[in-house]
């Protein structure tokens, strides 16, 4: 009843102020406070930006924080001062409503600034900001109308027992809020550690990643262990959930656990680094990310493959840039038997040396690899130092240049040929018969039988009567 009376009194006072000419003083004071706060924040930020400051992480951190919280904090201070002055002459219910709204605005901006500093750029930040702002404004609205204690009492009345611990919805909400707050502090500390490690000279990238992930996991665990007892939740009651989690890891999550362990192994033994050109199975590309569960491989076509870390640990991985970024690129050619082979080999070397991606050491070289049916096989061996850029472009440029040079100098590329020989007609087949009368030789005069015999004879001689040149 007291809350209803307070709400009714607030509505009555607000309505009375809106009908009174004195509300114009409150509106003018509120507008003036907001304008002065905006001008103050803008001028302060301009002076900070124009100052001769070193572009350090601390400077960027302070500038970003000022940009977010300076306006609501300045407006809050000015509104509180204006309320104190105007309260000596008439009601200031409108300014009383503005104070908690400005406090909530400053709190929302401060929390979101801390979240962005802790986790960086993430796709869920915008959704989290909307949800947090809605919750904060709802709490402020409940506080203004006087319903907040009643809502808290209703949440606390819904309770259940877990072992010997009594838990209510209000306790769980407090625990969630405290866990989020401590997680925010832990992630912020992890961000400071990441920036410090990024400026440490002589530290391997993989070691830096391992240290950062271990530190982040430890900070998150400590945050949860500290937050839950602060709201009265006994951690011993969660032992049953810990046992169930262990069983789940042993049966259903063993693949995920294996991938996580494999990820730390890859980072610790430094077998793969970001930027390496690797091939595993049917995938070939550049390592762009080494995450805890999977590794991202970007193919030259732009397609990114997520390879589980367990596959990288248990399979043969061809690392083209493990100790040396230079790789060989063999190109095969064929010239006709009537061409100048030595000149053709010299042209291949000249064309390779003219390409900017081809290394001078080892120098490109041409080889005669064999004699084929239609021509002579040549191979051009060259080396490049940037396999991550792909080999198709340099191969295409060399092939086009070789084609142009061979045409200009009269060197021919052979093409498949087939030569078929037609044999002369076969003689007639003679059979000898013995029977009742005297023996006699009979000549087959049946054209169809003769044709069948000729076809059979031709089939037997087919391999000898046909020469195929490729």
């Amino acid at each position: 009843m007291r809350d209803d009376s307070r709400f009714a009194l607030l509505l009555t006072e607000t309505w009375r102020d809106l009908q009174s000419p004195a509300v114009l003083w409150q509106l003018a004071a509120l507008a003036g406070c907001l304008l002065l706060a905006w001008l103050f924040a803008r001028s302060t930020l301009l002076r900070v930006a124009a100052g001769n400051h070193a572009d350090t992480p601390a400077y960027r951190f302070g500038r970003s924080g000022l940009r977010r919280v300076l306006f609501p904090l300045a407006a809050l201070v000015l509104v509180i001062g204006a309320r104190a002055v105007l309260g000596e002459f008439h009601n200031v219910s409108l300014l009383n409503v503005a104070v908690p709204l400005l406090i909530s605005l400053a709190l929302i901006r401060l929390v979101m600034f801390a979240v962005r500093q802790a986790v960086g750029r993430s796709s869920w930040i915008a959704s989290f900001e909307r949800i947090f702002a809605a919750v904060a404004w709802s709490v402020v609205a409940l506080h203004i109308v006087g319903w907040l204690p009643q809502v808290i009492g209703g949440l606390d009345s819904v309770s259940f027992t877990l072992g010997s611990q009594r838990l209510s919805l209000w306790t769980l909400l407090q625990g969630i809020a405290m866990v989020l707050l401590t997680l925010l502090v832990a992630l912020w500390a992890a961000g400071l550690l990441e920036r410090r490690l990024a400026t440490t000279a002589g530290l391997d990238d993989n070691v830096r990643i391992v240290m950062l992930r271990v530190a982040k996991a430890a900070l998150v665990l400590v945050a949860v262990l500290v937050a839950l007892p602060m709201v009265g939740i006994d951690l011993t009651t969660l032992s049953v959930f810990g046992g169930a989690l262990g069983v789940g890891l042993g049966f259903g999550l063993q693949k995920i656990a294996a991938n996580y362990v494999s990820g730390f192994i890859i980072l610790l033994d430094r077998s793969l680094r970001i930027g390496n050109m690797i091939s595993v199975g049917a995938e070939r590309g550049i390592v762009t990310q080494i995450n805890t569960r999977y590794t991202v491989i970007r193919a030259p076509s732009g397609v990114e493959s997520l390879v589980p870390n367990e596959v990288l640990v248990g399979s043969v991985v061809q690392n083209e840039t493990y100790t040396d970024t230079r790789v060989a690129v063999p190109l095969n050619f064929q010239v006709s038997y009537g061409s100048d082979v030595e000149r053709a080999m010299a042209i291949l070397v000249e064309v390779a040396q003219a390409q900017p991606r081809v290394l001078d050491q080892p120098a490109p070289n041409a080889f005669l690899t064999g004699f084929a049916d239609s021509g002579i096989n040549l191979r051009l061996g060259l080396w490049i130092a940037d396999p991550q850029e792909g080999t198709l472009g340099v191969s295409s440029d060399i092939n086009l240049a070789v084609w142009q040079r061979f045409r200009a100098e009269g060197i021919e590329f052979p093409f498949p040929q087939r030569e078929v020989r037609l044999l002369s007609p076969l003689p007639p087949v003679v059979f000898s018969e013995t029977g009742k009368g005297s023996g006699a030789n009979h000549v087959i005069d049946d054209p169809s039988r003769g044709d069948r015999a000729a076809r059979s004879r031709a089939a037997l001689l087919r391999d000898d009567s046909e020469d195929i040149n490729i």
Side-chain angles (χ1 to χ4, degrees), residues 82-131:
R83 185 181 64 174
V85 174
L86 292 179
E88 300 291 335
F89 304 99
H90 49 73
N91 291 332
V92 287
S93 57
L94 186 61
L95 297 181
N96 289 334
V97 173
V99 169
L101 293 178
L102 289 173
I103 292 176
S104 61
L105 178 60
L107 180 63
I108 291 172
R109 288 194 171 188
L110 182 62
V111 171
M112 291 311 305
F113 169 72
V115 171
R116 292 181 185 276
Q117 292 296 321
V119 301
R121 298 180 179 271
S122 299
S123 58
W124 56 269
I125 289 294
S127 301
F128 177 78
E129 185 172 4
R130 288 193 294 267
I131 295 174

Side-chain angles (χ1 to χ4, degrees), residues 451-462:
D451 292 341
R452 287 196 298 271
R455 286 197 298 270
S456 299
R457 179 78 176 276
L460 294 175
L461 301 176
R462 183 178 301 166

Side-chain angles (χ1 to χ4, degrees), residues 176-369:
I176 293 174
M178 188 60 65
V179 168
L180 290 178
L181 179 60
T182 53
L183 284 178
L184 181 62
V185 175
L187 292 176
W188 179 73
L192 291 179
L193 178 62
E194 181 180 6
R195 288 189 287 270
R196 176 60 63 86
L197 292 177
T199 57
T200 303
L203 189 62
D204 186 77
D205 292 338
N206 287 356
V207 175
R208 182 183 294 112
I209 295 174
V210 171
M211 293 178 60
L212 178 61
R213 290 179 179 174
V214 171
K216 184 178 292 186
L219 289 172
V220 170
L221 180 60
V222 171
V224 174
L225 295 179
V226 170
L228 294 181
M230 291 177 65
V231 296
I233 299 178
D234 190 2
L235 295 179
T236 58
T237 59
L238 302 178
S239 59
V240 62
F241 296 104
L245 180 61
V247 174
L249 287 174
F251 289 97
L253 303 179
Q254 54 182 340
K255 286 291 185 181
I256 297 178
N259 285 324
Y260 273 88
V261 174
S262 301
F264 279 103
I265 291 174
I266 292 173
L267 292 172
L268 288 174
D269 64 8
R270 295 181 289 180
S271 57
L272 294 180
R273 300 172 182 267
I274 295 177
N276 284 161
M277 189 74 177
I278 67 172
S279 299
V280 52
E283 308 299 333
R284 179 180 180 271
I286 304 173
V287 178
T288 58
Q289 298 180 33
I290 303 178
N291 297 315
T292 310
R293 187 180 64 84
Y294 60 87
T295 297
V296 181
I297 299 177
R298 182 179 179 84
S301 61
V303 179
E304 293 182 330
S305 302
L306 308 182
V307 181
N309 291 327
E310 185 184 12
V311 175
L312 296 175
V313 172
S315 303
V316 176
V317 179
Q318 295 181 353
N319 194 335
E320 300 179 13
T321 56
Y322 182 59
T323 58
D324 192 351
T325 60
R326 299 178 301 174
V327 295
V329 181
L331 299 176
N332 296 317
F333 301 90
Q334 192 178 74
V335 296
S336 61
Y337 278 98
S339 301
D340 188 351
V341 178
E342 294 181 351
R343 180 56 185 162
M345 296 173 65
I347 291 175
L348 294 179
V349 174
E350 293 173 4
V351 169
Q353 291 175 343
Q355 296 297 322
R357 292 182 58 189
V358 176
L359 297 178
D360 296 332
Q361 293 295 330
N365 204 350
F367 306 92
L368 193 155
T369 59

